[in-house]
Amino acid sequence: MPVEPDFGAEIGIDHATQRGAAEDPLMDKPAPARRRAETLDYIQSMLGQLRIMADTERCGMLAYLIEMAYVEAGDVIRGERLSNVGLNKRNTSA
């Protein structure tokens, strides 16, 4: 069975060192935080696979947009960006 390529590795992200491979920091978190972290990891993984698929099909813009979502998910995982940026804001000028 072929191994799915890790998109993160293609752009220089090592998931093992991203959060520390020596121990699993998720085990120290309460259940809701652990579930959220696992969900975000899954989302990032799926985005990586979708980006590869889009690139393979020569859908450059789609691959780029998926890559941006992948990077955003990584930022949220590392706590560098709030997960609710831009929510609940409306353009009231219209």
Side-chain angles (χ1 to χ4, degrees), residues 29-71:
K29 294 183 177 182
R34 187 171 44 245
R35 185 180 66 243
R36 181 176 188 274
E38 289 170 353
T39 300
L40 289 169
D41 280 340
Y42 179 76
I43 290 170
Q44 188 179 39
S45 175
M46 292 297 100
L47 287 167
Q49 291 180 25
L50 288 170
R51 191 270 181 194
I52 291 169
M53 292 169 62
D55 201 40
T56 299
E57 297 300 323
R58 295 188 173 119
C59 298
M61 179 55 81
L62 181 58
Y64 170 77
L65 293 171
I66 293 170
E67 182 177 347
M68 292 299 97
Y70 177 93
V71 170

